[in-house]
Amino acid sequence: MSEPAPADLLNALRGAIGDRHVLTDPGVVAPYLTERRGLYAGTTQAVLRPGSTAEVAACVTLCAGAGVPFVAQGGNTGLTGGGVPQGGVVLSLERLTAVRAVDPIGATITVEAGAILETVQQAAEAAGMLFPLTYASRGSARIGGGISTNAGGLNVLAYGNARELTLGLEVVLADGRVWDGLKTLRKDNAGYDLKQLFIGSEGTLGIVTAVALRLFPKPRSVGVAFAGLASAQAALDLFVFLRDRADRDLTAFEYMPPFALDIALRHRSGAVQPLAGEHGAYALIEFSSCRPGSEARHDLEAALNEALEAGLIGDATVASGGAQANALWDLREAVPEAQTREGGSIKHDVSVPLARLPEFLERANAACLAAMPGLRPCGFGHFGDGNIHFNLSQPVGMDKAKFLSHWTRFNRIVHDIVNDLGGSIAAEHGVGLVKREELAHYAPPVALDLMRRLKDTLDPNGLLNPGKVVAPAGTTA
Ligand code: ZN
């Protein structure tokens, strides 16, 4: 706990949202102070659990009046330390869970920020539609966190990031006012598109309390395959080949190097080797189609046969049904957890122009191995989006803490290559604390200046999630 909040502020907050929703007991508060990677330990004066947008606004007004900063938190599943409080209070959105409206004709759903991602998916499903945003933490991540980090995940290739799925927002501003921008329109050019400021700004410009989202027709057929390839370049050639044939029916193209498949097989119970031989690279491919009478599995099989004949792939297996498809997806989804079982891992979440992905992987692998022989690079992930989770597993037998002390050095090696290729050093997980210095290092000064001006305009007293994304002007990042 940091220094205690003024007693009269806590009393006023208790009056606004109820005694039992102002948490100060260290044991109860503890889960709100840590993040999944264990890189940061937070401090807070209290955790507030408002039950409505009006109560969020009341909390913000009271805290702002007392000059106490506040950090909005959803499911606390972020990967960059963006939700970790550094003093001030935590504003948990976990009680704002209502599905406010489902509109099957407009193909929209309007939900409160604390709704669990999986619940939003299920509400869409109950209306016979698809809400496509999905990632590993879907069972505990809350939609507000997904919006405030512009989350990506496993369906970006077909449906886009959280930003592309968002039609409108309701936001509590730093001064306690509520901006009602919860429209569900596809076309709206009435002035600046304000919602875009809050999507992906990691709670530093406002607190998202509700969101209007796009829905899609549910695919009528899905096909999943696992292909063995000679190299990352072969994966790129195959991706372009399949996109040309399937266009929008190509809904996932995930990449795994041999090391990733290796550790997934080693650590995931029940995981089965998908292909007979060994290959230089692997791709998980999904086709889906909404057209009545479509047979995505058949289309995928036909396209892969063509690719085999053209010498683009070494081997492939197409799942014969849902259970096999899930097993193939599970191999891909097992990688992050499997990597934690291999000791320390230094992580990068980067994107480059698609045409340069093989070059990135080749250069980054070579540079990291040259910097530390024995290192096990594991660049895997959303190949079709140009987004690779370039994680480095420690050499076998090395002390974990000693390995992790090289984090900054490897960031520089990898991010220099990303920057050289015109890429992004924060493709999917955001900036938070873990990439703040890297953003300051690589972002053009004009971009940083604009970000700071936006921050100063919307949060002049620096109370909204202070210290995240951009360092305050005048400080050296
Ligand atoms: Zn990812």
Side-chain angles (χ1 to χ4, degrees), residues 58-76:
C59 290
V60 166
T61 304
L62 288 167
C63 290
V68 170
F70 31 91
V71 180
Q73 237 180 49
N76 203 16

Side-chain angles (χ1 to χ4, degrees), residues 149 153 238 305 315:
T149 55
L238 176 65
N305 275 333
D315 193 9

Side-chain angles (χ1 to χ4, degrees), residues 208-235:
V208 173
T209 48
V211 51
L213 298 159
R214 296 177 65 184
L215 298 178
F216 296 83
K218 262 188 358 189
R220 286 184 165 82
S221 67
V222 177
V224 176
F226 205 85
L229 305 139
S231 62
Q233 181 61 50

Side-chain angles (χ1 to χ4, degrees), residues 332 382 387 389 428-429:
R332 159 63 186 84
H382 320 299
N387 174 201
H389 296 311
E428 182 176 52
H429 301 154

Side-chain angles (χ1 to χ4, degrees), residues 229-243:
L229 305 139
S231 62
Q233 181 61 50
L236 180 61
D237 295 341
L238 176 65
F239 174 78
V240 172
F241 177 87
L242 293 176
R243 186 182 60 188

